[in-house]
Amino acid sequence: MTSSVSSSALAPQVTHTDFTSLWLAILEKLSPELQRTEFITWFRDTTILGREEGKVIIGLPLPMVMNWHLEKFQAVTLEKCKEVDSAITQVVYKVDGNLKDNRDRSIDILEHFPDQKRRKLPGKQEVKMAEGLVSKILNPRYLIENFIVGSNNRLAQAACAAVASSPGGKYNPLFLYGGVGLGKTHLLQATGNAILQRNPRATVVYATTEDFTNQVVEAIRTQKMENLRRRYRQVDILIIDDIQFLANKERTQEEFFHTFNTLYEAGKQIIISSDRPPDELKLEDRLVSRFERGMIADVSVPDYETRLAILVEKSKEYELFIDMSVLQFIAEHTTKNVRELEGILMQAVAQYELEQRMPTIKSIADIMSKLNKDPHVQEQEVGFESQDRKKATLQDVMEAVSKYYSVSLDDMMGTSRVREVLLPRQIAMYIGKQHLAISYVRLGEVFGNRDHTTVMNSCGKIEKKIQGDHNVLREVHTLTSELGLR
Ligand code: ADP
Ligand code: MG
């Protein structure tokens, strides 16, 4: 830094005859005030369209963008305008669809404001280790604070929080179980992180069952089992992930049993995860009965609200501003586990970074259909009962639509053209055509003897709406999923 004097204090008042340079000067001041993604998202394809004395007219590419500006950025924009040119007293907005990606008219924000720093990740948490012990470094992203609690994991989270505040206390051992991608590793590591934060001198070992097995195998090979045992005795907190993989490994089970007993008797905390409850593990009885002596908590699939809350939290962590309707769409359609939910979000982040394109319902739906390109496989994994479900008929479609929009079947087949009836009617036609391949003529007959060109028009309208209207896309998506037509 050579000078800390504010440049505006010294610079002669610039008169911006050219709106582009005026806008650039303002953006220059705005950019440090906002998060980068926010800045890029809401200020790209913008410009100054005109100026009438103190009033500056800012051009924005979409009505949605204008809503954001009015809600969030108007005050700060005016403040920065004044800093650049004190004669400015008012900022107004105008939507001009022609600004989108129009490099002759609007500023290429990525070129003018290149990414200076990559996304910052929290620093690595060092784990103090007894020499020779294998522990994975705990992932600093996994915290108790950013673990979203719902009815599916409330007990598990509470137990972890209790263990974090008094390790070796009444929840020992702590045994968490549940399906893949439901947050067990997150909770285990978050507990380790929290313990280390309170007591940086604690020896925390986090190992997968595989790590532990490898150590035992190595000790056998080098005939240094005594060493390994001695080292494990110095551990304060032992965290072992995915204990189900101990099945059929007699020698490792035996070693683990001894380690477990030694630590347990010394009042050291042991935390274990598994994909199933203790009594279903294919392990020695004496080990199972040790696990059953402690605290057992399960994690299961989160409900819609919890999924949505997780998405909101994760998108904040990744500094990605995603429209709520898009997050709702993901939460509605990703029901299997949290990892899958995060996977879709990560794809959206990647898409954003590569193409600087904000996720839309359409782009997310594309990502999802690519990920599930073999719907059959997915059904099996989820264990849907839909395998022998019979294919939906037009009658099913009409009933589902009628229920979804609370419009009677009579109305759907009738002549009313009020929006409340028209849209469901058109959507039912569209699904009939698109997913059941029913002809326009036949659809016309069913829907109150309409001409086939009318049906064709209706389907075309929905087709178009799906491209531009999030709600319609989501509604069609929900209906077709419900009907098993996807
Ligand atoms: P598991 O070990 O049960 O297979 P993970 O702990 O690896 O699952 O979880 C998969 C991903 O989902 C992780 O990135 C984790 O942060 C995230 N996750 C799971 N449940 C939650 C939750 N309740 N709140 C926040 N993130 C979660
Ligand atoms: Mg795991």
Side-chain angles (χ1 to χ4, degrees):
M1 282 288 133
T2 49
S3 158
S4 59
V5 183
S6 146
S7 59
S8 60
L10 296 176
Q13 201 61 47
V14 201
T15 44
H16 290 276
T17 42
D18 169 9
F19 290 146
T20 305
S21 64
L22 172 60
W23 189 224
L24 266 176
I26 295 165
L27 289 175
E28 205 71 66
K29 294 203 172 278
L30 271 165
S31 105
E33 301 284 319
L34 306 173
Q35 296 208 35
R36 181 169 167 81
T37 34
E38 194 176 30
F39 179 64
I40 300 285
T41 310
W42 303 113
F43 286 83
R44 70 186 308 187
D45 298 330
T46 59
T47 189
I48 291 185
L49 289 173
R51 178 164 178 183
E52 294 158 10
E53 292 174 16
K55 182 160 88 181
V56 169
I57 304 158
I58 297 173
L60 304 171
L62 291 167
M64 179 184 75
V65 176
M66 180 152 101
N67 291 341
W68 276 79
H69 275 264
L70 289 169
E71 227 171 78
K72 295 188 117 193
F73 307 126
Q74 195 169 23
V76 64
T77 307
L78 178 60
E79 185 191 314
K80 299 300 162 193
C81 285
K82 283 180 172 165
E83 282 178 23
V84 172
D85 180 344
S86 53
I88 298 176
T89 53
Q90 195 188 359
V91 163
V92 298
Y93 298 103
K94 194 168 170 213
V95 174
D96 180 342
N98 201 355
L99 290 173
K100 191 146 184 46
D101 294 325
N102 186 338
R103 289 294 76 93
D104 294 335
R105 297 194 53 214
S106 56
I107 287 169
D108 185 348
I109 207 154
L110 292 173
E111 185 196 311
H112 285 281
F113 299 89
D115 200 356
Q116 304 288 0
K117 56 171 177 35
R118 296 290 303 159
R119 190 189 310 288
K120 51 184 183 306
L121 291 172
K124 282 213 155 128
Q125 172 110 45
E126 284 302 328
V127 181
K128 180 176 167 285
M129 272 185 283
E131 207 190 324
L133 280 176
V134 170
S135 170
K136 291 224 153 60
I137 304 280
L138 298 176
N139 184 339
R141 268 191 198 283
Y142 290 155
L143 301 172
I144 295 198
E145 295 77 38
N146 66 9
F147 187 82
I148 303 294
V149 181
S151 55
N152 61 309
N153 58 26
R154 195 176 304 279
L155 182 63
Q157 191 269 358
C160 287
V163 164
S165 62
S166 72
K170 60 178 189 287
Y171 297 142
N172 198 19
L174 171 60
F175 188 101
L176 301 185
Y177 73 91
V180 168
L182 295 177
K184 300 181 299 296
T185 298
H186 184 134
L187 277 176
L188 254 49
Q189 296 210 6
T191 312
N193 277 327
I195 292 173
L196 277 171
Q197 208 163 34
R198 282 190 191 144
N199 177 11
R201 294 154 67 95
T203 304
V204 176
V205 166
Y206 166 87
T208 61
T209 300
E210 198 189 350
D211 297 332
F212 188 79
T213 308
N214 290 341
Q215 284 182 82
V216 171
V217 172
E218 182 62 14
I220 294 172
R221 193 180 69 79
T222 54
Q223 301 188 325
K224 292 203 172 126
M225 193 55 91
E226 247 330 293
N227 277 358
L228 185 67
R229 285 181 196 153
R230 210 172 37 243
R231 287 193 206 120
Y232 264 97
R233 270 174 228 142
Q234 307 163 42
V235 171
D236 296 315
I237 316 286
L238 179 63
I239 307 176
I240 301 283
D241 211 348
D242 288 322
I243 199 90
Q244 72 275 9
F245 294 126
L246 222 51
N248 303 322
K249 296 183 179 128
E250 294 86 14
R251 186 66 201 272
T252 313
Q253 275 186 49
E254 163 129 20
E255 278 315 313
F256 183 73
F257 182 73
H258 290 304
T259 304
F260 183 101
N261 283 342
T262 311
L263 293 177
Y264 183 78
E265 273 149 29
K268 304 297 174 64
Q269 179 72 46
I270 300 156
I271 313 172
I272 291 164
S273 85
S274 154
D275 68 348
R276 64 200 79 180
D279 59 348
E280 288 175 23
L281 282 168
K282 296 187 181 70
L283 302 182
E284 289 177 25
D285 288 346
R286 56 181 187 164
L287 212 43
V288 170
S289 71
R290 289 288 186 283
F291 297 159
E292 284 177 333
R293 248 188 245 166
M295 169 75 186
I296 301 175
D298 73 322
V299 290
S300 57
V301 178
D303 56 22
Y304 168 77
E305 288 77 7
T306 311
R307 295 200 296 276
L308 187 57
I310 292 173
L311 283 169
V312 170
E313 172 66 32
K314 299 275 173 192
S315 51
K316 254 202 265 156
E317 277 174 31
Y318 289 109
E319 292 184 11
L320 189 67
F321 289 80
I322 304 191
D323 199 78
M324 201 55 178
S325 64
V326 176
L327 294 181
Q328 284 165 348
F329 179 80
I330 302 177
E332 264 170 43
H333 295 99
T334 313
T335 51
K336 204 162 64 165
N337 66 43
V338 182
R339 190 168 299 154
E340 186 190 43
L341 208 62
E342 227 184 348
I344 290 172
L345 203 62
M346 292 317 298
Q347 297 258 348
V349 171
Q351 187 176 58
Y352 174 77
E353 294 200 325
L354 287 172
E355 303 165 28
Q356 298 288 337
R357 202 151 63 97
M358 282 315 276
T360 59
I361 290 194
K362 171 91 177 60
S363 73
I364 294 286
D366 287 347
I367 290 174
M368 284 185 188
S369 65
K370 267 186 214 131
L371 290 179
N372 308 339
K373 42 184 180 311
D374 186 354
H376 199 68
V377 171
Q378 204 213 3
E379 276 182 11
Q380 277 176 349
E381 271 180 33
V382 191
F384 277 173
E385 296 142 28
S386 62
Q387 261 145 359
D388 48 12
R389 174 175 170 169
K390 72 174 187 19
K391 191 160 164 57
T393 61
L394 185 58
Q395 182 71 24
D396 297 330
V397 172
M398 292 171 75
E399 279 168 10
V401 172
S402 127
K403 201 163 118 213
Y404 188 85
Y405 291 100
S406 308
V407 172
S408 73
L409 284 175
D410 281 350
D411 275 345
M412 280 212 308
M413 292 183 285
T415 53
S416 165
R417 295 194 50 83
V418 298
R419 194 189 132 85
E420 288 72 21
V421 177
L422 189 60
L423 183 74
R425 182 188 297 141
Q426 292 176 337
I427 285 184
M429 288 175 175
Y430 171 83
I431 296 177
K433 176 72 201 157
Q434 208 60 28
H435 293 269
L436 302 181
I438 296 172
S439 71
Y440 292 129
V441 175
R442 173 79 190 121
L443 285 167
E445 285 166 12
V446 174
F447 284 87
N449 268 329
R450 289 179 153 78
D451 188 72
H452 77 278
T453 52
T454 312
V455 179
M456 215 153 91
N457 269 337
S458 300
C459 292
K461 282 203 178 108
I462 297 302
E463 185 105 52
K464 229 199 215 128
K465 279 202 173 124
I466 285 180
Q467 309 290 328
D469 185 335
H470 289 172
N471 290 331
V472 172
L473 176 66
R474 187 177 61 225
E475 287 159 17
V476 170
H477 198 102
T478 305
L479 280 162
T480 49
S481 306
E482 223 171 68
L483 287 157
L485 291 173
R486 300 194 49 83

